[in-house]
Structures are given as C-alpha cells and as structure tokens.
Amino acid sequence: MLSKESLAKIDRELTKYPAEQKRSALMSALRIAQLEHGWLSNDVVEAVADYLGLPPIAAMEVATFYGMFNRQPVGKFKLTVCTNLPCALSGGADAGKYLQQKLGIGYGETTADGKFTLQEGECMGACGYAPVMLFNNHTMCNHMTPEAIDKKLAELE
Amino acid sequence: MLEVEIDGKKLTVPGGSTVMDAANSVGAYIPHFCYHKKLSIAANCRMCLVQVEKAPKPLPACATPVTDGMKVWTHSDSAVKAQAGVMEFLLINHPLDCPICDQGGECQLQDLAVGYGKSASRYEEEKRSVVNKNLGPLISTDMTRCIHCTRCVRFTEEVAGYQELGMPGRGEHSEIMSFIGKTVNSEISGNVIDLCPVGALTSKPFRFSARTWELSRRKSVSPHDGLGSNLTVQVKDHQVKRVLPLDNESINECWLSDRDRFSYEALNSPERVTKPMIKQGGVWQQVEWTVALEYVANGLKSIVADHGVDSIAAVATPQSTLEELFLLKKLANGLGVQNTESRLRQHDASFATAGVQWLGQSIVELAESDAVVVVGSTLRKEHPLIAQRLRQAVKHGMKVAAVNPHGDDMLLRLAGEVVTRPDQLVEGLLAVLKATVEIKGATCPAHIDTSHTEITDVARGVANILAAGERASIILGNLAVQDARAAEIHAVAAALAALTGATFGVLTAGANTAGAELIGFNAAGDVFATPKKAYVLLGAEPDFDTANPVKALAAVEQAEMVVVLSSFQSCAYDYADVILPVSPFSETSGTYINMEGRPQSFNGVVRPLGDTRPAWKVFRVLGNLLGLHGFDYGTSEEVRDEALAAGVEARLNNNAVAHVHVKARAAGNGLVRLAEVPLYQSDVLSRRAPSLHATVDAQVAETLRANAATLAALGVAAGDKVKVEQGGTAELVVALDARLLDQVVRISAGHPLTRDLDSAAALQVAKA
C-alpha cells in the first residue's frame, strides 16, 4: 500500500518520538501517505495505522478531523479558500464565489477534467493578507482579488 | 488533604480529587453524561458545570481539581442555568423518539431532561440524522441519539484494551463508529451498552422485548467462569429478559463479560426439556416425575446389586451448584458408590492438590501484585474480567508475563513472554525456573531436574520479572490445568513460587470448580477410562464437557443405564435411558464458590419452566425413595450449611499431594494440536446462546489456525478447507495465527465440529 520511499519518510518521523508513542507520528504519516496517493482511502488509512501499530479507527479519527487530509480523490490542483470571518469580511466569500463561477463547480467538487478541486478552508493564520487561498496544501496565495485569481489560474492552466 | 466546601457543607478530600469526587463523597449529585468512575476524564458533555467561588464562569466538576478552601455550589442559580443551557444544546439534535427507544425509562438523558430541559425546544432548524452502524451481533445502534460523550470509545480503548470504536469527523459531522466494515469484537463489548447514557447503543438480543419498568430485578451469580460475577437478572412473566452487572468492586467491579451477559438466551431456548422422559423399547416417552424417579431408583439399586458399587459413576460439571454436588455425592455414597467426578476436562489423572485449588489470594490482591506470571491460559477468553483487571493494573506499574502455548495478544503490555509448543509447556517453565535459580543463587528442588534445560533469553526475561517483584503471583490457567502434563506444570510453577516467594494460584475454570473440590466430589479420576455399567450425568454432556469426547461417548453408549439430569435436549437422546429436566441456575437456589474461595449464594430468579425441578430437590426425593438417611432437607440453605460446615478457608490449598518428578523431554517435531475449549463452548448455557455464536470469537473457534510456515508446510492457505485426522476426522477452514510456533495447529476442543477427534491420537492434517 505504501511505497518504500514513503515508509522511509515515516520512519524518519518516528525517530522524533519515543518508541512507545508511535501515535505521535500519525499526522505526519498520513501526510506522507497522502502525498503518495493523492488522497486517503480507507485502505491507505488502515495501512498507515497498521504500520504504526495503531487501531485503524484511531487513524481514521485523525484523517477525518483535519481539512487538509483528502478523504475523497481530488483534482490535480486543490484550491482551499478561507471563508472564516476575517477573510470573509475582506472578500474571502467573494473570492470563493468567483472561483465557483469561474471553474463551474461548488465547494467540495472537482472539475470534469480532473484538474481543479475547490474547498472551503478554516483560518490559515494569515488574516492580514486576506483573502487567502491555499494551493495543494502547501502554497499560500495572498490577497486573492478576482485579478489575482485569474492570474493564478492562468499559471496553472 | 484539602478543605473544600460543597453546597455549604465543609469536608476534607485527598489531594488530586476532583470536584466530582468531592461531591460524590458527600452525596451531592451533579448531573453528568461523559463522566464515569472507571474511565478517563473527557469533560466533553459539559453537563456537570458547577459554580466555583472566584471563578469567572462555571467549571466542569469532573475535570476541575479541588484546591484548598474552594467553595462550590452544585445547584446555585448560576450552576443550574449553565446546566440547563448545556441540556438545551444536547437536545438540539436528539430525536424525540423516547416512546420507541429501548433506553426509555432507564435513560440518563431522559431523566436529566426532566430536571433541566424545557418543555418545548427553541430549535426550529433541521435536526441531523446519523446512519446506524453494524457493530456486530450484540450491540444495536441508533446513532442519531448519540450525544458524543465518548464513554464507549474510552471503554474500548482503556478497559477492553483495543480501540474498536472512535469518533471520526469534526464538530457537527462527528459520529461514533467502528472502522469501516469492522464490528466490535471484544469479549467484554456488552459493557458499552451499560455505559451509553442514551439509547444509541442498546442490547441487540434484548431489543424491543420489554420495557425497563416492567422488569423485576433479581440478584444472581454468573454460572460460567471461576470469577463468579454478580448479576442483576431482569425478569418479566417468569422469563429472563436480560442480564446486567451488579456492582461488586471486589469481584466484577461494574463490568460483565459478554458470556455472563448474553448467555441467558439459552434459558429461553426451544431446546429446553420440560418433562421427564424414559426410553422404552427405543422410543422416548414423557412420564410423570414419580414414574421417572421410581425407574431411576430401581435401576440404580439393581445395577449395584448385579454389578457392585464400582459399576456406577456420578458425573457433574463445575457449573453445578454446591447443593447439587453435595446431594449427588451423598446419594452416590449412600448407595456405596464412590465414583463421583467433575474434573471432566482434565487430561492428567495424576494431577491432584492437597486441598481446594484456588487463586491463592483474593481477586483484589491479585490485582495489587506488582508482578504476575500467567501460565497456560487464553486469559482474555477463559477469564475475560481477570484479564481486564490485569490490564488496569499494568497501567499502574504491574509487570505481567506469560508462559503459554500460544501468543495471543492479552491487549496489555506484556513485560515478558515465553511461547512454547503445547506439549512443551513444562520445558518452557523449566527454563524460567533454571533462570530464576541462577538469578537467586539458590538450588533447584531435588524433584525437578533442569540439567537438560537451556535458559533462553525470553525465559530469563520472565525470571527477572518474577525475581524483582515484591508481591509476585504465578497463576495457572485452564490450558495448564487441562494439559496432559498438568502435574508437572504444577510442580514447576509451585517450585518457582516457592523460590521467589510469589503467591501461587489457580484460575478455577468453572463457576463451582472450587465448590466441587471443597465437598470432595472429585473422587474418581477419569470415569470414562474404564466404562461403567451406569452413569448419572448432572448437566454434563460427554461430547463437549470432557477431555476425550470419543471415549466418553463410547463409555456412555455401552452403559446399561444412563440417567441424564439436564436442562437441555442434546444427543443424550442417543445414549440416555432417563432424562430428568432440572433447573439451570436461574430457576434454583444454590451456591457457587469462586476462585478466591468465596461462597456466593443466590435464589432462583424465575419459576422452573414446565415440569423442570431444581436438581437438589430431585436428589432429595431420590434419596428418600432409595431409603437413604439424611435427605430430609427443607431448604437448599440447610444443604449449603451442611456442605460448608467445615468452613472453606482451611481447605484451600494449592500444594501437590506428593512431589512429582519433573524432567525435560525433548521437543517432538511433528504436528501438535493446541486444543483449547473456546470461549462460547465452555458450558451448556453458552453453547446454546445464538447471539454469542454469531460473534467473531465463535467463528474463529471453528477454524484450524497455524502460523504461515506451518500452513506452507501443509500446502494450504488461509481460507482453504482441510481434513483433520486424529482418531476421527473433522473438516475445518484454515486461518492464520502468526503468533503460534511452527508445527502447532490450533483446533478447538469441546466443539461440535471437532467432537470426533481424539486429542490423544496421532494428528494428521491434509488439504480437503
């Protein structure tokens, strides 16, 4: 289920915690598994749990709690728009609407060509740069005005 | 000690107490859902908010430690307002389906809603609904009712030892569930039903069969393992409807194993016999009690006259009450018959102790040991709640080690483990003994020869744990006592205990194993080895309750007369001459003596079904019919008092009768069978409880298990069918058990699928 490279990365995470507290490395392990598979299917969650010696339901709890873990297959580009209050007041809700209109999909949906997935996200701790959007969990995009969104989408196309 | 004032009452509590503890100690009730005395503190239901002096807002009583001079008001305006507010939120998504909810009438949410809820809800939006989950054959779910207290999750993780339930999702989307496609398989899973404060988790076998206020609650004692769990049996219309635990901190705490909880199904089974029956000319006929008893009395008398007193054997299971065993023995002895026996699963006839085998201490004391070595036991299956006790004790520093013919996960952190072949348990123990001798610098007892034993690292590990323990215990499980070399196992384990100052104990297998020993019922040894002319079987089923069912069945089949006293139909139709319907534990008064030597008496909870009669009364009448003296008992209490006249404590003694010489034997290299009696085949009741037999535990018992290497050598894979030949044959499905040693195949004993196998014969396994 998990590649040698992924397992090696998980092993490295495990060295950060005491041997009897493998649970501590669960979030990292799920992140690594998601990088490999794109999303966390039940099988992947179970494989991670088995590797860490945890009950699968314990891994499932974590995998379903955090918005950055994908429990459904996602498009090549995942855009997460913050719609918490500070962003919403500074145009976050509008940015979301603009993206929906532009991509022709709602929150939690993927475009038919499998390129884009749009998600609503919780506060990303960058309210000063509102509205913000997270690209593929790893890149933060600031001040997402319609122009900035157009520019970003053009880059990705 | 800290001074605290609760609702104006001053008290002192030990440091580290919570406000909830303090309130409980003065009897001030604080409403709560997620708090439970045996579980960790979650503080997520918020129902226990109380007002604390100088605190700016209400604090949860269950998670607030008491500080010196703290003043708490549990029912002030501010506290009640906070509690009512929490209740309003809890009720937002809770369905108003109390009239069709099994929890109705015994629901904490319902009760507290009466106290704190409003008569109408202000919530007008859509309520959420949650899909039900399949948690197996014992637990029924209505997840929309769940208030997310997580008691069940904490129970599986902390008490049952493996987190089978969890709460995936976040906020509005969180749901209690097992992992996709998995059921809850713990042997003590039924406790989550009691823990659930609402009707989200209810009993599947009991579902919709009665309302709680229609049930009368009667005390009883569990008739299964040697623990003697205390029961509250709930009864309606003279029928047992369900079984719940009765709190007894020194025995079962507030828990029950699933076997204790759900085996009541058998009591209402269509297999119950309700009329005495006699076989005449090969045809079974229902007769009156007087006719049947006359027939039995005359039959026994004529067998004694024709063949002598040694031609009769009286056989009982350790699930029989003390009174029944005492009167059966008295009856047999009155006829001059000395052959009475209840150790039916014992393979080693030479194994005997000077007194009644027992735990060597109380159950609470066992849990207070700092080192425990379990020898020959599938502890979680044989004694689920003892395993649970040890699991809790391990968290407080106890070191548990095991010497076992299997590597089953006890779901606790084992400090050391020796896994042997089933025929090499003695050698496994000898290695531990030799290591202990070395550590202690002592000499090995003369009757034990360790010169051919090699000390392994794992054995040294176990020896170290034992040697380091100040209050150590060594306990023998069912596998050890029923082993073909039980006397040797006992000798080595006793020597280990003597050497290290550990307490030596035996986990008695049946509810009344100790009672049978106490009254000297076990006097015959293997009653089926040399077939008798007549057998009296009290609750015993030769095909399931015996060490060697093939031999036992052959013995009863050739007998001239077989008297069966049983609550159930069985294949007794084939071999019996008379079947007398006698009461199971629920329909008779009686006494069981548990593994700590504690006699526990109970009354019948329902009236006997049909023409069923309590067995002690049957023996009383038989005694009178046979003209024997001393059968004029008015009540079972008189019988008990006579049986216990000599006291119990003085008779408890685990020492061997004589020194058994022990010498290591070379390990064989052929296939060897690990024959364990599965959890739900242990006695007549659990054998007939359909829900228990739908569990994963029962399904696993139907398989042949071996490790990967053994399976490869046999040329089979998991899921294949194999034919087992051992005296007779059996066809079983193969499953993997990675923790067994090479060449070990695990095949259940006392199981319908394996009843033709003779555990002493040579073993062959081949693909079917």
Side-chain angles (χ1 to χ4, degrees):
Chain A
M1 205 75 225
L2 294 170
S3 69
K4 244 189 211 157
E5 293 74 38
S6 294
L7 292 181
K9 281 189 211 160
I10 295 175
D11 288 339
R12 196 182 130 62
E13 294 297 329
L14 281 170
T15 58
K16 297 178 182 171
Y17 309 102
E20 69 276 14
Q21 285 174 27
K22 291 186 176 179
R23 188 183 282 245
S24 306
L26 180 54
M27 279 176 65
S28 305
L30 287 170
R31 175 176 54 79
I32 291 162
Q34 176 162 300
L35 273 179
E36 183 186 337
H37 289 271
W39 65 293
L40 295 174
S41 64
N42 293 337
D43 292 339
V44 172
V45 172
E46 192 167 10
V48 169
D50 285 349
Y51 192 70
L52 299 185
L54 295 175
I57 188 70
M60 180 68 99
E61 286 181 326
V62 173
T64 53
F65 188 90
Y66 294 99
M68 284 158 93
F69 289 132
N70 308 324
R71 289 282 293 138
Q72 303 288 334
V74 290
K76 194 170 165 203
F77 308 117
K78 188 177 81 163
L79 306 175
T80 311
V81 182
C82 175
T83 52
N84 279 186
L85 191 62
C87 269
L89 292 175
S90 315
D94 295 335
K97 262 184 215 146
Y98 183 73
L99 268 169
Q100 289 185 351
Q101 190 191 1
K102 184 104 191 181
L103 298 172
I105 51 174
Y107 285 129
E109 290 175 5
T110 303
T111 51
D113 59 2
K115 254 190 178 165
F116 291 99
T117 299
L118 189 60
Q119 276 187 351
E120 240 180 324
E122 309 298 336
C123 182
M124 292 161 194
C127 309
Y129 304 96
V132 294
M133 181 176 86
L134 201 56
F135 164 63
N136 273 359
N137 281 356
H138 282 84
T139 317
M140 179 84 84
C141 312
N142 303 331
H143 301 299
M144 293 319 287
T145 55
E147 298 75 46
I149 290 173
D150 284 343
K151 199 174 149 212
K152 183 75 192 169
L153 289 181
E155 264 172 45
L156 297 175
E157 283 289 347
Chain B
M1 299 298 277
L2 304 170
E3 272 200 19
V4 57
E5 189 183 305
I6 295 196
D7 293 338
K9 265 183 244 169
K10 282 206 165 82
L11 65 145
T12 52
V13 293
S17 303
T18 62
V19 173
M20 184 70 95
D21 298 332
N24 283 343
S25 69
V26 289
Y29 177 73
I30 301 176
H32 60 269
F33 295 108
C34 72
Y35 167 82
H36 189 275
K37 60 186 175 185
K38 296 280 180 191
L39 301 175
S40 64
I41 292 163
N44 57 6
C45 75
R46 315 309 285 183
M47 192 63 209
C48 65
L49 291 176
V50 291
Q51 185 189 349
V52 177
E53 189 188 44
K54 290 178 192 148
K57 43 183 189 172
L59 299 176
C62 70
T64 305
V66 170
T67 54
D68 207 20
M70 190 183 240
K71 280 188 184 170
V72 178
W73 294 272
T74 64
H75 287 85
S76 65
D77 287 348
S78 142
V80 169
K81 196 176 158 217
Q83 290 158 2
V86 168
M87 175 55 78
E88 187 169 11
F89 273 106
L90 286 173
L91 291 178
I92 278 183
N93 275 314
H94 193 80
L96 199 58
D97 63 350
C98 304
I100 55 146
C101 176
D102 249 1
Q103 193 86 351
E106 53 180 4
C107 176
Q108 285 174 40
L109 186 65
Q110 200 179 30
D111 293 349
L112 289 178
V114 171
Y116 297 91
K118 299 205 169 72
S119 52
S121 175
R122 288 189 286 167
Y123 184 75
E124 287 167 354
E125 292 76 7
E126 216 168 299
K127 287 191 176 214
R128 81 175 200 152
S129 69
V130 182
V131 178
N132 290 339
K133 312 293 186 295
N134 176 18
L135 300 185
L138 305 176
I139 305 164
S140 176
T141 62
D142 281 280
M143 297 318 290
T144 303
R145 297 177 187 146
C146 177
I147 57 165
H148 307 101
C149 69
T150 69
R151 275 185 181 184
C152 55
V153 176
R154 284 174 283 147
F155 174 84
T156 59
E157 186 178 356
E158 295 161 15
V159 183
Y162 184 78
Q163 192 192 349
E164 293 186 284
L165 289 169
M167 190 162 69
R170 187 179 70 226
E172 174 83 348
H173 303 285
S174 41
E175 292 179 22
I176 297 290
M177 60 165 85
S178 55
F179 192 73
I180 315 296
K182 291 206 159 74
T183 52
V184 176
N185 301 330
S186 165
E187 64 286 342
I188 53 176
S189 66
N191 293 301
V192 300
I193 297 166
D194 296 342
L195 287 174
C196 186
V198 297
L201 305 177
T202 51
S203 163
K204 214 172 235 182
F206 172 71
R207 195 164 166 83
F208 301 147
S209 61
R211 302 299 290 188
T212 175
W213 56 85
E214 304 170 318
L215 298 164
S216 14
R217 287 153 175 75
R218 289 168 192 169
K219 293 178 187 176
S220 193
V221 177
S222 166
H224 303 291
D225 56 38
L227 186 70
S229 294
N230 291 192
L231 311 178
T232 303
V233 182
Q234 302 203 334
V235 171
K236 180 191 167 189
D237 298 336
H238 295 282
Q239 218 186 31
V240 173
K241 289 291 182 188
R242 68 172 167 180
V243 169
L244 298 179
L246 182 65
D247 276 24
N248 188 335
E249 226 17 61
S250 54
I251 298 180
N252 54 316
E253 302 170 73
C254 56
W255 313 124
L256 278 188
S257 67
D258 287 353
R259 181 169 52 189
D260 294 339
R261 183 184 299 267
F262 294 108
S263 67
Y264 74 87
E265 278 187 306
L267 300 171
N268 309 321
S269 148
E271 287 181 61
R272 287 288 302 272
V273 275
T274 53
K275 280 258 178 203
M277 286 187 288
I278 295 180
K279 186 150 72 178
Q280 281 174 330
V283 181
W284 281 102
Q285 286 183 333
Q286 294 192 343
V287 293
E288 291 303 313
W289 267 104
T290 46
V291 179
L293 289 174
E294 289 274 352
Y295 181 90
V296 173
N298 292 335
L300 291 178
K301 260 194 275 187
S302 71
I303 299 247
V304 171
D306 296 349
H307 303 287
V309 290
D310 199 36
S311 62
I312 299 183
V315 181
T317 60
Q319 276 75 31
S320 313
T321 65
L322 188 74
E323 291 80 353
E324 290 164 0
L325 293 170
F326 182 76
L327 287 187
L328 177 55
K329 180 180 155 67
K330 195 169 181 179
L331 187 79
N333 292 169
L335 286 167
V337 173
Q338 300 302 325
N339 296 324
T340 52
E341 188 55 62
S342 73
R343 296 168 300 178
L344 307 181
R345 291 202 174 115
Q346 192 164 314
H347 281 85
D348 186 353
S350 67
F351 173 45
T353 46
V356 178
Q357 288 163 25
W358 70 305
L359 193 56
Q361 55 196 328
S362 74
I363 293 160
V364 173
E365 283 164 348
L366 172 70
E368 286 167 356
S369 306
D370 51 18
V372 173
V373 177
V374 180
V375 179
S377 175
T378 53
L379 198 62
R380 274 175 57 212
K381 310 299 168 189
E382 290 171 8
H383 299 95
L385 292 179
I386 294 286
Q388 186 278 129
R389 283 252 187 197
L390 295 187
R391 192 171 298 131
Q392 304 315 316
V394 164
K395 289 179 196 162
H396 296 112
M398 180 197 274
K399 296 244 189 295
V400 176
V403 182
N404 261 332
H406 59 79
D408 283 5
D409 193 349
M410 280 205 245
L411 299 181
L412 50 80
R413 189 177 298 163
L414 272 186
E417 187 179 27
V418 177
V419 180
T420 69
R421 275 167 64 95
D423 53 359
Q424 291 275 301
L425 202 48
V426 177
E427 285 68 24
L429 272 177
L430 279 174
V432 177
L433 179 68
K434 193 166 182 179
T436 311
V437 167
E438 201 184 272
I439 293 163
K440 289 265 172 189
T443 49
C444 194
H447 61 283
I448 296 174
D449 176 4
T450 55
S451 57
H452 299 289
T453 303
E454 267 184 50
I455 303 176
T456 55
D457 287 345
V458 281
R460 203 185 299 278
V462 175
N464 277 327
I465 292 159
L466 203 51
E470 287 201 356
R471 268 183 73 179
S473 299
I474 300 176
I475 47 177
L476 299 186
N478 299 2
L479 286 177
V481 172
Q482 292 162 9
D483 194 275
R485 296 165 73 191
E488 289 176 70
I489 294 172
H490 178 275
V492 183
L496 254 180
L499 207 58
T500 55
T503 308
F504 181 47
V506 178
L507 295 164
T508 56
N512 206 20
T513 301
E517 288 272 331
L518 181 78
I519 58 155
F521 190 83
N522 301 328
D526 188 353
V527 286
F528 303 110
T530 48
K532 311 284 181 200
K533 290 287 174 199
Y535 285 98
V536 179
L537 305 175
L538 173 58
E541 298 183 294
D543 31 359
F544 299 124
D545 283 318
T546 57
N548 192 331
V550 180
K551 233 193 218 165
L553 264 183
V556 290
E557 268 160 11
Q558 62 75 47
E560 267 178 39
M561 181 173 180
V562 178
V563 181
V564 169
L565 295 98
S566 175
S567 312
F568 298 97
Q569 297 168 9
S570 61
C571 61
Y573 283 128
D574 300 336
Y575 54 74
D577 297 277
V578 193
I579 295 179
L580 304 176
V582 295
S583 300
F585 83 105
S586 54
E587 296 167 17
T588 178
S589 53
T591 303
Y592 288 140
I593 299 183
N594 77 353
M595 61 172 73
E596 52 183 1
R598 177 201 298 247
Q600 299 192 97
S601 294
F602 51 89
N603 289 318
V605 295
V606 289
R607 70 173 168 226
L609 184 72
D611 278 351
T612 305
R613 292 290 171 265
W616 72 269
K617 288 187 179 174
V618 174
F619 293 133
R620 178 183 64 181
V621 178
L622 262 180
N624 288 327
L625 271 179
L626 287 163
L628 303 176
H629 288 293
F631 277 87
D632 318 313
Y633 302 99
T635 61
S636 70
E637 283 77 18
E638 291 172 30
V639 185
R640 178 195 63 198
D641 294 344
E642 193 178 323
L644 293 179
V648 180
E649 266 166 49
R651 298 284 326 280
L652 301 172
N653 188 344
N654 284 326
N655 294 335
V657 178
H659 278 318
V660 177
H661 289 274
V662 187
K663 200 175 160 185
R665 295 183 202 169
N669 46 21
L671 271 190
V672 62
R673 174 180 173 192
L674 168 57
E676 70 177 286
V677 179
L679 179 58
Y680 301 135
Q681 295 290 342
S682 60
D683 52 87
V684 283
L685 292 177
S686 53
R687 253 169 244 151
R688 291 176 172 78
S691 299
L692 290 179
H693 284 272
T695 57
V696 167
D697 266 329
Q699 283 154 16
V700 169
E702 295 179 353
T703 59
L704 175 148
R705 285 145 284 160
N707 70 9
T710 312
L711 291 183
L714 290 169
V716 294
D720 286 354
K721 266 201 165 176
V722 287
K723 191 172 169 191
V724 182
E725 277 195 49
Q726 193 181 30
T729 60
E731 244 183 47
L732 301 169
V733 175
V734 175
L736 179 72
D737 182 343
R739 294 181 181 225
L740 292 173
L741 291 192
D742 289 351
Q743 299 286 340
V744 179
V745 288
R746 193 167 185 172
I747 303 171
S748 299
H751 194 281
L753 288 177
T754 62
R755 61 200 279 186
D756 293 335
L757 300 183
D758 177 347
S759 52
L763 177 70
Q764 272 189 323
V765 178
K767 197 164 179 173

